[in-house]
Amino acid sequence: MPLSEHEQRMLEQIERALYAEDPKFANTVRQTNPQVHYKRRIIKASIGFVLGIFLLLGGLITASEQPWTVGVSIVGFIVMLASVLWGLSGLRGAAGGTSGAEGEQAAQPKQRRQQRPGMMNRFEERWRRRQEGE
């Protein structure tokens, strides 16, 4: 959804104030690609997942020797689970989500499906034709 003229003017005013207050920070933010942030998150999540595997296996291997190593296995599993969830959120963000033009493109197939007669519509049309004797 595009911004109104008033909102655009306000945004430009905020940008100018940011440049006047801290130009170095403004340049850094302007040049930063959000995709880089999501890729870093995915890499960190992968490292966390591998660490969780090592903790899980290490706890299982030494479980017979010490009773506290079962806790290490549980912690390893929790680390793996948290890493997967964190990585998936980064992957979803790296894919772009459904904002802006992509969201509009995602809605178009649904509209196209609604315009085409579905299976039930075809059945109803055939039934109507049979009842009318066509």
Side-chain angles (χ1 to χ4, degrees), residues 11-39:
L11 183 61
E12 290 171 3
Q13 184 181 6
I14 292 170
E15 287 177 358
R16 278 182 271 156
L18 178 62
Y19 274 113
E21 186 177 316
D22 194 356
K24 184 178 178 183
F25 174 72
N27 283 332
T28 303
V29 170
R30 189 176 195 115
Q31 294 173 354
T32 303
N33 185 1
Q35 298 295 325
V36 173
H37 171 72
Y38 293 119
K39 288 178 184 177

Side-chain angles (χ1 to χ4, degrees), residues 77-124:
F77 178 77
I78 291 171
V79 168
M80 288 171 52
L81 183 63
S83 297
V84 166
L85 294 176
W86 194 44
L88 287 176
S89 70
L91 189 63
R92 191 176 306 128
T98 58
S99 63
E102 294 176 12
E104 293 172 9
Q105 291 174 353
Q108 287 177 354
K110 292 179 183 178
Q111 292 173 354
R112 213 177 314 142
R113 279 188 236 132
Q114 291 174 352
Q115 293 172 353
R116 286 189 317 192
M119 183 178 71
M120 291 304 293
N121 291 340
R122 288 193 308 259
F123 288 151
E124 289 173 2

Side-chain angles (χ1 to χ4, degrees), residues 42-56 76-77 79-85:
I42 293 169
I43 291 170
K44 290 177 184 177
S46 300
I47 292 169
F49 185 80
V50 171
L51 177 67
I53 288 175
F54 284 130
L55 287 172
L56 178 69
F77 178 77
V79 168
M80 288 171 52
L81 183 63
S83 297
V84 166
L85 294 176

Side-chain angles (χ1 to χ4, degrees), residues 51-65:
L51 177 67
I53 288 175
F54 284 130
L55 287 172
L56 178 69
L57 292 177
L60 290 175
I61 290 171
T62 59
S64 61
E65 298 172 9

